[in-house]
Amino acid sequence: MAYEVTATRRRPQDFDSLAGQEFVASTLKNAIQSGKIAHAYLFSGPRGCGKTSSARILAKALNCQQGPVAQPCGQCPACQEITRGASMDVIEIDGASNTSVNDIRQIKDEVLFPPNSCRYKIYIIDEVHMLSTSAFNALLKTIEEPPPYVIFIFATTELHKVPATIKSRCQQFHFRLVAVEQLKELLAQAAAEIGLQAEDEALYWIAREATGSVRDAYTLFDQVASFSAGHITFEKIRETLGLVGLDTMNQLFETCVAANTASALEQLDSLLQSGVSIEQFITDCSNYIRSLLLIKSGITRESLLGQSPERYSPQVLAQWSVAQLERALSLFLSLYRDIRYSTSPRYEVDLAISRLCGISSFVSPQEVFQAMESVRQLLGGASASAKPQNPSSVSQGQPVSQGRPNPFANGGAVPPEHRHPTSDFGGTMVSRPKPVPSPVSPQPVGAASTTAVPLVKPVENFSPPPAAAISQSPVAALSGGMSIPHDKLKEKLVEELSLSHASTASVLLSSQWKFDENQLNIIAGNTFALTQLQKDKSLVVDLLQQFSGGSLQVDFQLRQQQQKSVAEEAQSNQVDILCKVFKGTVVGES
């Protein structure tokens, strides 16, 4: 007998042999068994999924001498004639070559005559979407009210091109793509029938290349079997069809992970010189990166990856994140579209490999947003997160400098242990600006301070005095009850507060002092300085009275020429912070 291709030899002859179309098969079998046979059917779906085969099986089930029966015998003359395509009552029409109204008029004339030897006269019109609009309109009346012995079966791969008037007169069945595992089993059975040995890896590759079409899988299987010499292996497929092997892909991508551009370009040149086409190389790279993405997502099915998960490079999986793999896959998908219009596809591939070597430094927009949020929180304020501490803790033997490190040490740089993990890719870190103060009402003299302990600079070889040497009053502990001249008060007060209240000491150092007999007016330079002094007013007043012998009256004032509202000062500070962060300048005010 003449050679018969696998797709024709293994064409399904009953509903149970339909691969991946269980819904269609069960529905048609139940309709035949219950006698609810429609006068028109519309089969739609991708190529090579069994639409025409299902139409022939339905024709045999309806015209079988034992039926209508859900399982045709295949032995009666009617079944054998339909199988050979020689039945006079089952007419197959190619819709692509019979598109005119005249062809439909011939069908309308033929349906007036009953079938010759079968129970039903069945018209199978393949690629029905190719009919013209006039032909569809001429067929409407015949489809809607045909003779009881006529059945129409339409098959199409483009359902959207079939008019709604035709769809509404037919029972519609949509055929689906076949799963890779099921295609692999069909290929294994086909290989066993002809005595071929086939590796699972090779069969999985053929099944994946078929993209769900049974006919495409059988056609590719025949091609591979013709050069495999009785044993189908993936290595033979790779060498014959010019594919890039997994080991070669692992080696190339490990070089790209190491950012060795020169070596990666040399490996690319070796691949292309060996006969691998640029299009095939891009396709293999896309499949490889897709498999890595699936593995990173926890998917390890061999039928979906095409290879065992253990065969993929652990170095690439460890070094590249999901965002970087998505970036790499997008790069190759765009490359495949661009090479069609490129003056030199080879240059495009070289550029893609060069960019792939730098993908390790790619930062996704989500990571940039997280870094900006971290920087914003870093700039936003340590003052809000500072916990209040009572100065009376000094009497318990605890130094006031104990706790937080000074963020302004080392020139304002953030210590390494407090840096955000993504802070190094963007250059130098920005030092934290002072927080904008909120208005605070002045406290009465002698009131207990409940302010937060500010961040202070650590002092070398500092040890707190013993608890026994500290009295119940913190002021008494800091001073010796001496009377200091007025011109020395400022220096002494700043010295005493430099350790425990560094911010207040800094404000006092930059303020102006005016004495009027026993009255001291401390003039602050701005609203922030005045607010800081008022927060520690009780402590400052007690110290000054201790140093001066108890006869000095203290008052805090704001410098008149710079007196602004608290809201204006806060807004000015916010503008300064924005200018520093975004490196901008104020060009005008509205």
Side-chain angles (χ1 to χ4, degrees):
M1 295 179 62
Y3 172 73
E4 191 175 17
V5 297
T6 305
T8 303
R9 187 181 73 251
R10 291 185 55 81
R11 182 184 289 273
Q13 300 300 326
D14 52 49
F15 289 117
D16 294 335
S17 302
L18 283 175
Q21 314 301 334
E22 290 78 10
F23 166 74
V24 176
S26 61
T27 304
L28 292 177
K29 288 167 64 176
N30 292 335
I32 294 172
Q33 291 174 354
S34 61
K36 299 178 181 179
I37 302 171
H39 59 271
Y41 296 90
L42 178 58
F43 295 163
S44 63
R47 68 186 187 279
C49 292
K51 297 184 295 297
T52 305
S53 299
S54 298
R56 293 180 180 179
I57 296 172
L58 179 59
K60 287 194 297 183
L62 295 176
N63 287 330
C64 181
Q65 292 182 356
Q66 301 178 6
V69 62
Q71 189 72 22
C73 65
Q75 304 297 327
C76 64
C79 291
Q80 292 182 357
E81 288 177 358
I82 295 174
T83 301
R84 297 194 308 266
S87 177
M88 297 181 62
D89 296 323
V90 178
I91 301 98
E92 294 192 26
I93 301 174
D94 181 16
S97 57
N98 298 273
T99 62
S100 65
V101 180
N102 293 330
D103 299 319
I104 301 302
R105 185 179 294 116
Q106 181 180 354
I107 296 176
K108 294 177 65 177
D109 294 338
E110 291 177 356
V111 298
L112 299 177
F113 301 95
N116 293 321
S117 59
C118 295
R119 189 176 295 105
Y120 292 96
K121 178 178 283 188
I122 300 175
Y123 287 89
I124 301 174
I125 303 180
D126 203 1
E127 301 299 331
V128 70
H129 65 274
M130 298 295 292
L131 296 180
S132 63
T133 304
S134 300
F136 274 125
N137 293 333
L139 196 59
L140 289 178
K141 189 62 176 177
T142 305
I143 296 177
E144 186 173 7
E145 296 178 357
Y149 49 81
V150 174
I151 294 177
F152 290 94
I153 303 176
F154 303 135
T156 178
T157 55
E158 301 183 29
L159 181 62
H160 61 280
K161 292 185 179 181
V162 179
T165 52
I166 296 292
K167 296 178 184 177
S168 64
R169 290 166 167 82
C170 303
Q171 285 192 9
Q172 300 182 40
F173 293 88
H174 184 72
F175 287 69
R176 299 175 297 180
L177 293 172
V178 183
V180 175
E181 294 89 347
Q182 198 165 3
L183 283 178
K184 186 258 181 184
E185 293 297 328
L186 294 176
L187 293 173
Q189 295 173 8
E193 285 181 0
I194 59 177
L196 273 178
Q197 294 182 357
E199 294 181 350
D200 288 344
E201 184 178 354
L203 296 181
Y204 272 129
W205 180 85
I206 297 174
R208 286 190 298 109
E209 290 295 314
T211 62
S213 173
V214 181
R215 184 170 60 238
D216 289 1
Y218 285 148
T219 303
L220 185 56
F221 172 80
D222 289 339
Q223 181 181 358
V224 171
S226 62
F227 60 75
S228 296
H231 189 195
I232 300 177
T233 62
F234 182 75
E235 187 66 22
K236 292 181 181 179
I237 296 175
R238 185 184 66 81
E239 293 176 356
T240 306
L241 300 182
L243 307 179
V244 183
L246 184 59
D247 295 336
T248 305
M249 297 299 296
N250 285 334
Q251 183 178 0
L252 174 62
F253 275 79
E254 286 174 357
T255 306
C256 293
V257 166
N260 191 346
T261 307
S263 179
L265 291 175
E266 290 178 357
Q267 294 180 25
L268 171 64
D269 182 70
S270 300
L271 281 173
L272 298 181
Q273 291 295 334
S274 64
V276 178
S277 65
I278 291 179
E279 292 81 1
Q280 186 63 50
F281 171 75
I282 298 174
T283 302
D284 291 340
C285 288
S286 302
N287 292 333
Y288 180 81
I289 300 174
R290 170 186 174 271
S291 299
L292 294 180
L293 268 174
L294 294 176
I295 295 175
K296 292 281 283 187
S297 301
I299 299 174
T300 57
R301 273 195 303 159
E302 187 174 350
S303 60
L304 193 58
L305 301 176
Q307 308 281 348
S308 174
E310 290 77 14
R311 294 191 59 186
Y312 290 88
S313 172
Q315 179 180 351
V316 180
L317 288 170
Q319 293 294 327
W320 280 355
S321 64
V322 173
Q324 291 168 340
L325 288 173
E326 290 176 352
R327 177 76 172 181
L329 181 58
S330 177
L331 175 66
F332 280 101
L333 294 179
S334 300
L335 176 62
Y336 190 83
R337 293 189 294 264
D338 294 341
I339 59 173
R340 301 180 183 179
Y341 310 103
S342 176
T343 57
S344 177
R346 174 62 188 273
Y347 295 167
E348 297 279 356
V349 177
D350 290 342
L351 180 60
I353 292 299
S354 179
R355 290 175 177 174
L356 193 65
C357 292
I359 208 74
S360 298
S361 59
F362 169 74
V363 181
S364 65
Q366 291 80 6
E367 293 174 336
V368 174
F369 176 77
Q370 293 175 0
M372 292 180 64
E373 284 295 314
S374 300
V375 172
R376 184 183 64 81
Q377 295 175 4
L378 188 65
L379 296 175
S383 61
S385 61
K387 296 181 179 180
Q389 180 176 345
N390 197 315
S392 62
S393 61
V394 179
S395 62
Q396 300 175 6
Q398 298 178 1
V400 294
S401 62
Q402 183 179 359
R404 295 178 179 268
N406 184 12
F408 301 102
N410 301 324
V414 180
E417 62 271 13
H418 297 291
R419 292 179 183 171
H420 191 269
T422 59
S423 61
D424 293 332
F425 70 83
T428 58
M429 293 292 295
V430 182
S431 60
R432 182 187 304 171
K434 295 181 179 180
V436 179
S438 58
V440 179
S441 59
Q443 301 177 358
V445 178
S449 175
T450 59
T451 59
V453 179
L455 304 177
V456 298
K457 181 178 181 181
V459 180
E460 297 180 358
N461 300 327
F462 175 78
S463 59
I470 302 178
S471 64
Q472 296 297 326
S473 173
V475 176
L478 292 173
S479 62
M482 63 192 73
S483 179
I484 301 176
H486 289 176
D487 57 347
K488 300 293 185 180
L489 278 177
K490 184 175 183 180
E491 180 181 354
K492 181 64 177 176
L493 182 61
V494 171
E495 180 182 354
E496 291 293 339
L497 295 176
S498 60
L499 295 180
S500 60
H501 296 74
S503 299
T504 304
S506 176
V507 170
L508 288 171
L509 186 63
S510 61
S511 63
Q512 295 181 1
W513 290 31
K514 290 185 180 181
F515 291 93
D516 186 7
E517 295 182 356
N518 291 333
Q519 177 71 27
L520 170 60
N521 296 323
I522 300 178
I523 303 175
N526 50 53
T527 306
F528 172 76
L530 179 62
T531 304
Q532 185 65 34
L533 291 175
Q534 289 176 345
K535 288 171 58 178
D536 295 333
K537 180 178 180 180
S538 59
L539 179 61
V540 173
V541 171
D542 289 347
L543 285 174
L544 287 175
Q545 290 181 353
Q546 184 73 22
F547 294 157
S548 62
S551 60
L552 191 63
Q553 300 295 326
V554 183
D555 185 24
F556 300 109
Q557 300 178 1
L558 180 66
R559 189 176 303 170
Q560 296 297 327
Q561 61 270 24
Q562 296 184 0
Q563 187 171 2
K564 297 182 180 179
S565 66
V566 176
E568 293 176 350
E569 186 69 23
Q571 183 178 5
S572 176
N573 291 336
Q574 292 175 357
V575 171
D576 294 339
I577 293 174
L578 291 175
C579 292
K580 291 179 181 179
V581 172
F582 295 101
K583 299 181 180 179
T585 57
V586 178
V587 297
E589 297 181 0
S590 59

